[in-house]
Amino acid sequence: MARVQRLCFADRPDTYRVVGGDQLPVAPAREYLQFLADRGASPNTVRAYAYGLAAWWSVLEHTNTAWDDFPTSLFGQFLSYLRTGDLPGTARIGDPEPGMAESSLQPRGAAVLSMYRYFADAHDLDRPYRRLFSSHARTSRSRYAPTLSGIGPQRDRDVPLHRRRAPSRTETPVLLPVQVNAILDGCSVQSASGEWTGSAAGLRDRLFFAVLAETGMRMGEALSLRHNDFHISGGGTPSIAVAGRDDHPHGVRAKSGARRIYIGDDLVALYSEYVWQLVGWGADIAVDDLATHFVFVNLARGQRYAPLRPETIYDKVETIRTARADVLPQNWTPHWLRHTHATALLLSGVREHVVMRRLGHADVQTTLSIYGWVTADAEMRSVAEWKNYVAGWKVSHDPTS
């Protein structure tokens, strides 16, 4: 079975490669993943494509098929393997495992199609490309829906022979206020005496999830924050400046352009307490310039005060999932807090163009296409007190967020 191997470096972001059953790097996959990295693809994209290529090579190895000479039907078997976990020709005993979600299947399939498109363009390797693509576009009158539509970018009139319908996304996942509070309390809780409970990293984790919930930032944007991005003094409305950065040593990115997001007093107090704890631990001495250093740093493992890895956040998510399985959906991710933020604002009456600027969308149509269902679902107003939930967020004073 092929697998993905992560390569860690001290002076540049991590990268990934595919290792075959012989424990040697798979040369075509390595070349294509390097091409993606050189083109400026995000580390998350490289990682997702690496897992897709590893699954493809597992199918190739299992069927003893050459990577550049395979039957067209093998790609359909590959998709079936992604959905069921059963390799071609394998008989299952017992109930099947839960299949891969369509949202995860899409980048896996796109990785294979895009790799063969790359080799067709870069090396004139047309034979495998023609096994996967047709130069004759199907007419809209066809009665039959292909099995893999929408995977991979289109080139000229070529379309994948195996196509699938894009999954329906009529609603984005939402966490109710009680669930958001369960996430925050799963990190650290303030006692009656004012002390914060939990480990040294507990307050940091609570601040991280609170930032996502109250600002709608993407995870990469939050991890890229510096202390001088917080503007909480001087008499003005407290705010956080989101800068378009791509210099995080672990490859996370602030995808949207620069913007200012106004915040409430509770988040200001939480951040201030976190900074005081950092100073109490000597971070201002250990770090050359704390003001320009990353807000979210290692406190419990790894190099102390080094920028936090996204894997650390996902480990915390898993811990909270296990501890609060009675309250939280088992498949929640940090990005749900962004969706929850946008949903809460819309349900509390904030205009769409304000939500657009706060989230960093390029245009209001993007916001409407993702969250248009929210304003149509008036019944959600009775599910929770959304206006109270956003009462501390000073969006009404935010001309640019």
Side-chain angles (χ1 to χ4, degrees):
M1 295 284 289
R3 60 187 177 86
V4 174
Q5 186 177 67
R6 188 176 75 181
L7 305 177
C8 302
F9 303 94
D11 57 345
R12 54 193 173 99
D14 298 349
T15 189
Y16 301 86
R17 67 182 179 188
V18 178
V19 177
D22 57 3
Q23 305 306 311
L24 296 176
V26 176
R30 178 172 57 187
E31 178 179 338
Y32 178 62
L33 293 175
Q34 185 60 51
F35 164 74
L36 287 179
D38 293 342
R39 243 181 59 177
S42 73
N44 285 338
T45 298
V46 175
R47 178 179 180 272
Y49 274 37
Y51 277 97
L53 296 179
W56 173 245
W57 251 270
S58 293
V59 172
L60 292 174
E61 291 178 353
H62 177 76
T63 56
N64 196 28
T65 305
W67 78 277
D68 56 353
D69 187 11
F70 52 85
T72 298
S73 60
L74 190 66
F75 193 77
Q77 294 174 314
F78 165 66
L79 296 176
S80 178
Y81 165 58
L82 292 179
R83 292 188 177 101
T84 65
D86 296 332
L87 287 164
T90 302
R92 169 172 290 279
I93 299 175
D95 296 332
E97 299 293 330
M100 179 177 290
E102 292 295 311
S103 58
S104 299
L105 184 147
Q106 184 164 349
R108 301 290 202 274
V112 177
L113 295 177
S114 297
M115 183 192 70
Y116 284 109
R117 181 182 285 109
Y118 161 76
F119 276 98
D121 289 340
H123 299 289
D124 294 324
L125 190 63
D126 288 333
R127 180 165 55 182
Y129 178 81
R130 289 305 171 196
R131 301 284 171 83
L132 297 174
F133 292 88
S134 169
S135 59
H136 303 290
R138 299 178 185 270
T139 66
S140 59
R141 295 182 180 181
S142 173
R143 292 177 56 195
Y144 300 99
T147 58
L148 189 66
S149 62
I151 283 188
Q154 301 299 316
R155 187 183 72 167
D156 299 328
R157 291 174 59 85
D158 290 357
V159 295
L161 289 173
H162 294 268
R163 302 193 297 171
R164 73 166 184 85
R165 297 182 183 274
S168 174
R169 295 184 59 189
T170 56
E171 296 185 6
T172 50
V174 173
L175 295 163
L176 298 177
V178 65
Q179 294 173 320
V180 175
N181 289 331
I183 294 171
L184 301 182
D185 292 346
C187 302
S188 184
V189 178
Q190 192 172 25
S191 65
S193 63
E195 298 294 325
W196 288 94
T197 63
S199 65
L203 188 63
R204 176 205 64 195
D205 296 338
R206 184 182 179 100
L207 175 64
F208 180 82
F209 291 119
V211 166
L212 298 187
E214 184 165 333
T215 68
M217 287 188 203
R218 298 178 176 89
M219 193 169 90
E221 293 172 332
L223 288 175
S224 298
L225 289 174
R226 271 55 161 195
H227 287 284
N228 57 6
D229 293 329
F230 280 75
H231 299 272
I232 59 176
S233 60
T237 304
S239 64
I240 301 175
V242 181
R245 297 191 179 107
D246 60 357
D247 58 350
H248 196 283
H250 302 308
V252 298
R253 296 182 176 186
K255 292 172 57 178
S256 303
R259 65 191 189 278
R260 184 173 298 278
I261 301 176
Y262 288 87
I263 59 176
D265 296 334
D266 288 344
L267 189 59
V268 170
L270 188 62
Y271 169 73
S272 300
E273 179 64 26
Y274 172 65
V275 172
W276 278 114
Q277 286 199 12
L278 287 178
V279 172
W281 296 326
D284 56 328
I285 298 173
V287 176
D288 291 337
D289 185 1
L290 187 61
T292 60
H293 196 58
F294 291 92
V295 172
F296 299 105
V297 295
N298 292 337
L299 296 175
R301 61 184 183 184
Q303 180 184 351
R304 197 168 180 82
Y305 307 128
L308 196 64
R309 290 178 176 272
E311 291 83 358
T312 303
I313 297 297
Y314 287 120
D315 287 346
K316 187 62 180 180
V317 168
E318 189 59 35
T319 299
I320 298 173
R321 276 182 188 151
T322 302
R324 298 308 312 270
D326 58 324
V327 176
L328 296 169
Q330 281 301 296
N331 60 337
W332 76 273
T333 70
H335 201 70
W336 284 33
L337 293 167
R338 176 175 169 86
H339 292 321
T340 299
H341 181 80
T343 300
L345 291 178
L346 291 169
L347 289 177
S348 66
V350 177
R351 298 292 298 273
E352 289 86 349
H353 71 277
V354 176
V355 177
M356 172 203 77
R357 291 194 291 264
R358 192 168 176 92
L359 295 180
H361 287 158
D363 55 69
V364 73
Q365 188 56 48
T366 301
T367 308
L368 292 174
S369 65
I370 298 174
Y371 302 106
W373 66 272
V374 174
T375 54
D377 192 358
E379 291 182 2
M380 284 196 66
R381 293 181 184 272
S382 63
V383 174
E385 296 179 358
W386 291 101
K387 287 189 177 182
N388 291 339
Y389 182 57
V390 300
W393 306 348
K394 299 178 174 60
V395 293
S396 58
H397 303 293
D398 187 353
T400 59
S401 69

